[in-house]
Every structure is written in C-alpha cells, then in structure tokens.
Amino acid sequence: MSEKPTYEKLQQRVRELEKAESERKQAEEALGESGELYRILFEQARDVIYFTTPEGKLIDMNDAGLKLLGYPREEFKRIDVADHHADPAQREEEKRELYEKGFIKDKEIRLIKKDGSEIVCLDSATVLRNQDGSTKGYIGTLRDITDSKQTQEALRSSEERLRKSEKRFRDLFASISDVIYTQDLDGRFLSVNPAVCRLFGYDQKELVGRRVSDFMKPEFAQAFESEYLKKIKKDGYHEGTSVYFTREGKKIYLEYRSSMVYPEEGDPYITGTGRDVTAKILSEREVKKLHAQLTQAQKMEAIGTLAGGIAHNFNNVLMGIQGRASLMMMDKDPSTPDYEHLKGIKEYVKSATELTRDLLGFARGGKYQVKSVDLNALIRHESRIFGLTRKEISVIEKYERALWTVEVDQGQMRQVFLNLYVNAWQAMPGGGTLYVRTENVTLGKEYVKPFAIIPGRYVKISVTDTGTGMDDSVRKRIFDPFFSTKDKGQGSGLGLASVYGIIKNHGGFINVYSEKGIGTTFNIYLPASEKEAVEQGPIPDRREIKYGCGTVLLVDDEDMILEVGRMILEKLGYRVFVARSGQEALDVYSKHKEEIDLVILDMIMPGMGGGEAYDRLKAIDGDVKVLLSSGYSINGLAKEIMDSGCGGFIQKPFAMEELSRKIREVFDR
C-alpha cells in the first residue's frame, strides 16, 4: 500500500508549482521585451531587412524595404522576390551560393522597383537552421548603392554562428556592419552589436555600463552631456557626427542617429545606429587641402606673370637712365659737383636693378647660368659667411656625404639661401640656433602631385630656425610679393617671393612648417642630376671698360634703348646700325652683312620675336655673331638659342662696362 501524501508534502508541491509558473511568466515577459526591441530595431533600420522561407517566399520586410521597392504596406503580400531580380541568372547564383556556403556577403545585385526603374543593391543573407540542421529560412539585408557605390560601406551578414539562432533579434543585431547600440538616459551603453566592439577595440563586457563620453575628449564629453542628452530627451531624437577614440588611441568619426524609446513596461532608453565615416571625412579634408594648394599655385602663377611683365618693362626704363648717366659721367671731370650726383643715380639704378632681379626671381623669369653643382659646398660657404656676420646665432650643419648633384644657377641659389638666412635672423632678434641639413630623397607620385612636378630623385635642403614662428594667416602669405611683417622701410617684401620663384623655376618646390613661438622650417626640393659637379671659374672684372672697333647692329623695339644704346656703343668705339623690329633687322643685315660684325638682338619684340629673327639671321649668314639681350634672364627659347651656338647673353639694364666686356667675349670666340 502506497504512503498517503502528508500535508507538508502537499504544501511543498504547491510551492514548486507556483515557482514554475512564476518562472514561466518571467520568460514570457523577457521574450516579449526582446520581441519589442527587435521590432523597433527592425523598423528603425535605414537599410532593408527581409525574411524568407526556404523556398524564397517573402515572410516579412521592414518599411525601408517597402519604400525602396515602391510598395505600400497593404500591398506587401503581392511582392514576389523573383519578379524583382533584373537578372534571373544572378538570382540562381545567389541561391546556389546560399545553399553551398550557408550565407552570402555584400553580393551586388540589380533589382527592379514597382515603377520599372532599376536600382543596384548589396545583398547579404544568412541561412537560419532548425536544431536538426534543416533550413528554417533566410534573413537578409539590402543596401541601395545606386548613387554612392564607392563611398558607402557595404552591409555584410554575420559570419559567425550565434548560440541562440532561434532568436531573430540576435541574428539581426549581429549581422549588420553599422553600429547598433542602446543607452540609458545617462548615456551608458546598455547593449552594443559586434560592429561597435570592432570599431572601438573593446569587448562587449568592457563597453556595457560605460558612458559614451568616456571615449571622447573632455571638451567633447561636456557637449555630450549638455547637448546630446538634453536634446534627445527634449526632441526625442538626435543625429550628427562625433569624434571618438579607440582603445589604441586612434581618432574615428562616427555618423549616428539616436532616438528615445518609451516601452509599455520598463524605463525609457535610447537606441540608435551609426556608421564609421572616418575615411570619408579624411578624404574630404585631403581634397580641400589639395584644392587650397592648387589655388595657391594658380594665384602665384598669375602674380608671377604680372610681376615678370612689370620687371621687364622697368628694366628697359632703368636701361635708359643708367645709360645716360654713364654717358654723362664719361664727359664729366670727377671733381665737378655733378659727377657725385651721377654716381648717386647709378647707385639708385643698381638698387632698382636688384629689386627687379627679385621680381624676376619670383616671376620665374629664368636662370642666368646653369651648371651641375654640389650644393653642399655652396651651402657650406653661405652658412660660414652668415655665421661670421651674425655671431649671436649658432649654425648647426648636417650634410649628406654623397649628395646628388643639381643643375642650378649658383648666383640665384646664393640669393635663395641669403634670403632664408636673413629671414631666420630677423625671426631670432635675441639670438638662437639655425639648423641646415641636406639629404637625398626619392619622392613618389602622390607626394609631388600638389606641386605639379614629376616624381623621382630630389635633393632636399632644410633650413630651421628657433625663432618666433608664424601663425597660419601669416604662413599662407609669406610667398606673396610685397607681403611683409616688418615695419615700413625694413624690407621690400620680395625676399621669400623671390625664393619661391627661383626654386619653382629650377623644377623644384618649397614647403614651410611653422608654429607660433617654436620656430620655422623651410624644406626645399630640387631635382637631382646625373651630371657631375663642375668647378666655378674665376669671376671677371666687371669695372673695366673694354673699347673696340667694328660695326654693330642694335635691334630693339624700345626707342629709349636704341637711343642710349647707340650712344654707348659709339662711345665704346663701334659704328652702329639700329633696327626697331625683327623684320627691319633682317632687312638691314641683308643689305650690310659684309659690314656688320655683331648683332645685339632683343628677345621680346612684337611681331617677329628674337627667336625667329635669330633663326632667319642664321639662314642669311651661318657665321653671324649674335649677343642676345632681354629684360628677362636666360630661360626657355633664349636658353635653346644659347645652346645652339649663340655668342652670348646680356640682361637689361646693363652697364657700359658689362656691355663692353660681353662684346669682347663674343668677338674673342
């Protein structure tokens, strides 16, 4: 006979049943909350989310999908997935890949909307399986990339199996590559999807419970508290882009949209989605930077053209003044009062000539005499001279031992370093240190792209001072002609403009780095040469006048040059013909070629320029002697003419002494 249950045992059984019932209700409530959260995320997602049967029949699709395909919710049942594939073969390929792999990831497909228009999407899908391994259905996402295929980050399905594959919320939460999160009203993470963990570099346990502001700079964290949380509680949503820092300290930009959620039961919370837009923002900044560099280069090119034209015409005027002063001095006794005034005029002309030289340097008006040079020797010499004159400044030098040679005009290079050293000295009024360094570098295509030069081997020269430095507003203008931070009368403002033009004219470029209160670094890059460096010859005596005899044809379109040039040449002992154009020069030379010993030919003339005139003079007489003359320096066509065997070149304004010497050099050849 079985034992009858006692009263105590009956009570214990009742308690067990009550406990089981309580646990069942709690489980149902948890499932209800999970389903509600799933539905909110399902409908809030920007991308299309869909569920299908194993046969591919559509079970559910969020509003984003219906909107994308052009269907209202009431027509949902009419949607046949197969009818919306533009390429049936592509759909079959997707089905085969799903069957073989169990998922597809970022598959590019073409779909047809209700109105017949075609769109391009990235399709990601995962097979949902029953406990026995059979296919339960498919969960997938679509992203419209029709307008921004290359700038949007593709959706991808989760590749890892989830322990609780039966729960749609977990599948969805983990399969989207955009970040998904929930927060409490104090901004603490309640939940995050794997994309958040990957982006920030933390495990899920390390993120949940922490404030979002913990991953921001302090100043941004304050804005998070005062603006983000305040606005989202007031308006119910907030969207924008914020800066965060990963576990490794890397700065990232996250574009987000957050919304308030008020569940029927439980406390309100914040849910949202976000996307890493770091690459996009950095790319846009790089584009702006390149655009600014291009705009600056175009501005400098335009100003350079203007400056070159002004300098050329100004040189012609100086030529007339200097020539007449020289002629008057030859007829004056040095003891007369006028003689000193004339000397003063010549000195002023010399100063003005240096000004136009700087203008031409900025305008990239050419190089006087180009040779293969070892810059180490040239810079070492200039640094030593500077150090001797400015003893309050320490000069520290570091030179590449086997520095590649460069093809430069040594005089212009000395002008470059003199201007840089003077600029450094003025930035260090109380003394300081000047660092000079040379090195061989190879520049790639991307590095030289903003400067419109070819990649390859370059010699880099760095000049660094420990002076006052510059802010951005000054740094952006330092190469502008006549811009100066000095007081009036302390400089023309052409020094650095001339440096820029000379370096540019030599096929190089210059970069400036400066910080207020710390100092400035100028980095100069000049293309390397395969030629060996040559030694510079002795400097001729420019003060001696060399008289001569013979007949000279002077060709220039400026009457003042012809007038004063004729008088100077006649004073030097030469008989003179003049011509005001290239065509007139050909006519005169054809008529008197047996008498004419030398042609002084201006390069820049209207109609027939000096280049064409030279070629036609050579056609008339292959042995014609020509001395090129220009307000510009040797460049372009003038250099080609010199390389083809022309007798010489002289830059206006030239002194009587220099002209006499140049003529003798041509005759001596």
Side-chain angles (χ1 to χ4, degrees):
M1 179 179 291
S2 62
E3 182 182 353
K4 293 183 178 181
T6 64
Y7 177 74
E8 289 80 6
K9 289 183 178 181
L10 289 173
Q11 280 188 325
Q12 181 179 354
R13 180 58 177 165
V14 168
R15 285 195 296 270
E16 289 175 354
L17 291 173
E18 288 176 344
K19 181 180 179 182
E21 179 66 15
S22 175
E23 289 176 349
R24 184 186 63 78
K25 289 182 178 180
Q26 289 177 1
E28 288 179 352
E29 289 175 357
L31 287 172
E33 291 177 359
S34 177
E36 180 183 3
L37 181 57
Y38 153 72
R39 175 54 58 182
I40 291 169
L41 291 173
F42 183 73
E43 294 301 342
Q44 188 186 48
R46 298 179 182 178
D47 297 314
V48 177
I49 303 172
Y50 64 88
F51 297 93
T52 70
T53 65
E55 294 76 26
K57 184 179 179 181
L58 194 63
I59 298 174
D60 198 1
M61 177 179 284
N62 65 349
D63 288 342
L66 296 175
K67 182 178 179 182
L68 180 65
L69 294 177
Y71 285 91
R73 173 60 68 178
E74 54 268 22
E75 295 185 26
F76 169 78
K77 298 294 185 180
R78 294 174 52 190
I79 300 175
D80 189 330
V81 176
D83 293 341
H84 289 276
H85 273 266
D87 186 354
Q90 191 179 57
R91 171 166 171 75
E92 292 302 317
E93 181 184 343
E94 274 194 297
K95 290 172 65 177
R96 183 171 60 255
E97 190 172 340
L98 268 171
Y99 176 78
E100 293 174 354
K101 294 183 178 180
F103 69 94
I104 57 173
K105 177 182 176 183
D106 293 345
K107 195 78 172 179
E108 186 174 307
I109 62 173
R110 292 182 293 114
L111 297 177
I112 301 173
K113 298 173 66 172
K114 181 182 179 183
D115 62 8
S117 60
E118 188 174 299
I119 55 175
V120 181
C121 297
L122 290 181
D123 188 13
S124 298
T126 302
V127 178
L128 296 177
R129 301 191 184 277
N130 295 308
Q131 291 182 351
D132 61 0
S134 61
T135 300
K136 182 178 181 180
Y138 303 103
I139 175 176
T141 61
L142 290 174
R143 176 174 294 175
D144 182 7
I145 60 169
T146 307
D147 297 327
S148 55
K149 289 175 63 175
Q150 297 181 357
T151 58
Q152 298 296 323
E153 183 178 359
L155 286 170
R156 59 183 181 181
S157 299
S158 173
E159 295 181 356
E160 60 182 78
R161 288 190 176 182
L162 303 176
R163 294 180 179 179
K164 299 179 180 180
S165 60
E166 295 292 327
K167 298 181 180 179
R168 289 182 174 179
F169 165 71
R170 291 299 180 188
D171 287 336
L172 174 64
F173 203 56
S175 67
I176 298 178
S177 60
D178 285 352
V179 302
I180 302 175
Y181 54 85
T182 59
Q183 303 163 351
D184 64 18
L185 299 189
D186 290 325
R188 294 185 182 88
F189 282 124
L190 296 176
S191 63
V192 295
N193 72 333
V196 178
C197 301
R198 290 193 296 268
L199 187 62
F200 282 81
Y202 292 92
D203 293 335
Q204 188 177 28
K205 293 180 180 179
E206 295 176 299
L207 290 171
V208 173
R210 292 185 63 178
R211 287 176 177 267
V212 180
S213 55
D214 291 347
F215 306 98
M216 299 178 174
K217 281 189 174 181
E219 56 267 31
F220 296 138
Q222 294 174 4
F224 176 83
E225 303 286 345
S226 62
E227 296 179 19
Y228 172 81
L229 292 177
K230 183 178 179 180
K231 183 173 175 60
I232 202 169
K233 292 173 185 177
K234 177 184 176 182
D235 300 336
Y237 76 96
H238 194 280
E239 60 184 5
T241 303
S242 290
V243 181
Y244 297 91
F245 290 88
T246 67
R247 186 176 206 137
E248 293 77 24
K250 179 185 175 183
K251 183 190 289 187
I252 56 175
Y253 295 85
L254 190 68
E255 185 181 77
Y256 66 88
R257 178 181 174 86
S258 299
S259 301
M260 284 291 298
V261 177
Y262 297 95
E264 293 182 2
E265 297 182 7
D267 297 328
Y269 59 91
I270 301 168
T271 184
T273 60
R275 179 169 298 164
D276 180 12
V277 292
T278 306
K280 175 186 174 184
I281 289 178
L282 294 180
S283 176
E284 289 173 351
R285 288 182 178 178
E286 185 64 23
V287 169
K288 289 181 180 178
K289 179 182 176 182
L290 293 175
H291 180 72
Q293 289 174 330
L294 177 60
T295 301
Q296 176 71 4
Q298 291 173 336
K299 181 189 74 173
M300 300 296 279
E301 192 73 30
I303 297 175
T305 301
L306 175 62
I310 293 172
H312 175 261
N313 292 328
F314 193 43
N315 272 341
N316 284 337
V317 176
L318 291 176
M319 178 71 225
I321 298 172
Q322 179 168 270
R324 288 191 176 276
S326 298
L327 289 168
M328 291 175 69
M329 287 181 69
M330 292 187 70
D331 296 331
K332 289 284 185 181
D333 189 288
S335 62
T336 62
D338 291 344
Y339 192 83
E340 288 301 316
H341 291 310
L342 292 171
K343 282 181 64 178
I345 291 173
K346 290 191 69 174
E347 288 299 318
Y348 292 145
V349 170
K350 182 180 178 182
S351 298
T353 301
E354 292 176 353
L355 181 63
T356 58
R357 179 202 63 187
D358 288 340
L359 271 174
L360 285 172
F362 167 73
R364 302 187 295 282
K367 297 165 282 189
Y368 296 104
Q369 191 172 10
V370 177
K371 293 182 179 179
S372 299
V373 173
D374 177 5
L375 277 182
N376 279 348
L378 188 150
I379 297 172
R380 188 179 286 113
H381 177 267
E382 296 304 311
S383 300
R384 183 177 63 83
I385 297 299
F386 177 76
L388 291 174
T389 58
R390 305 296 175 190
K391 295 185 179 296
E392 71 275 19
I393 295 177
S394 300
V395 181
I396 299 178
E397 302 162 273
K398 184 177 181 180
Y399 298 103
E400 179 100 25
R401 286 188 176 181
L403 191 68
W404 295 328
T405 59
V406 292
E407 294 186 50
V408 298
D409 179 299
Q410 295 186 72
Q412 288 189 335
M413 282 299 116
R414 290 192 177 95
Q415 180 183 343
V416 165
F417 295 111
L418 173 63
N419 283 328
L420 290 179
Y421 291 171
V422 169
N423 186 75
W425 165 64
Q426 291 172 339
M428 299 183 288
T433 305
L434 182 69
Y435 298 89
V436 182
R437 180 180 181 181
T438 63
E439 54 185 316
N440 299 324
V441 296
T442 301
L443 303 181
K445 185 185 301 182
E446 291 302 318
Y447 191 87
V448 302
K449 186 177 180 180
F451 306 100
I453 61 175
I454 61 174
R457 302 193 316 153
Y458 284 80
V459 170
K460 177 183 178 183
I461 309 101
S462 300
V463 179
T464 301
D465 66 64
T466 57
T468 55
M470 298 174 281
D471 57 28
D472 285 343
S473 62
V474 173
R475 182 180 54 80
K476 291 176 181 178
R477 297 190 60 195
I478 57 172
F479 294 126
D480 290 357
F482 305 113
F483 172 75
S484 177
T485 58
K486 307 178 187 70
D487 294 335
K488 185 177 181 181
Q490 293 187 353
S492 66
L494 279 172
L496 292 179
S498 177
V499 168
Y500 175 89
I502 291 171
I503 297 302
K504 191 73 174 176
N505 188 48
H506 281 79
F509 64 96
I510 182 169
N511 268 341
V512 184
Y513 303 93
S514 187
E515 192 170 337
K516 196 72 174 174
I518 294 180
T520 301
T521 295
F522 289 88
N523 288 325
I524 294 173
Y525 298 84
L526 292 169
S529 171
E530 300 292 339
K531 299 179 182 179
E532 294 184 2
V534 297
E535 297 292 334
Q536 187 174 14
I539 299 175
D541 185 359
R542 299 179 183 275
R543 296 171 297 175
E544 180 185 355
I545 296 179
K546 295 182 179 294
Y547 295 92
C549 61
T551 302
V552 176
L553 170 58
L554 178 62
V555 186
D556 202 292
D557 62 307
E558 294 284 348
D559 287 339
M560 72 177 80
I561 303 297
L562 293 177
E563 186 177 1
V564 74
R566 177 200 286 271
M567 290 187 287
I568 289 175
L569 288 168
E570 288 176 347
K571 280 286 186 181
L572 293 174
Y574 299 101
R575 180 185 173 207
V576 182
F577 289 106
V578 297
R580 289 173 175 79
S581 67
Q583 184 58 55
E584 187 178 348
L586 296 176
D587 295 339
V588 173
Y589 191 81
S590 298
K591 186 176 181 181
H592 300 283
K593 67 178 181 178
E594 300 300 332
E595 306 171 54
I596 296 173
D597 301 296
L598 174 70
V599 179
I600 300 178
L601 179 62
D602 186 29
M603 278 297 302
I604 310 297
M605 294 183 294
M608 183 187 298
E612 183 181 353
Y614 175 79
D615 291 338
R616 295 179 67 174
L617 284 170
K618 291 283 287 184
I620 296 172
D621 180 4
D623 296 325
V624 62
K625 290 183 173 61
V626 176
L627 175 63
L628 291 178
S629 172
S630 177
Y632 293 108
S633 48
I634 298 178
N635 193 22
L637 181 58
K639 186 176 185 303
E640 293 179 12
I641 295 174
M642 291 295 297
D643 293 341
S644 68
C646 180
F649 177 85
I650 187 168
Q651 188 184 23
K652 295 183 288 188
F654 45 78
M656 181 182 293
E657 297 86 352
E658 185 181 8
L659 178 61
S660 69
R661 180 174 55 82
K662 285 287 185 180
I663 292 175
R664 293 300 305 171
E665 287 178 1
V666 176
F667 281 155
D668 289 344
R669 290 196 184 98

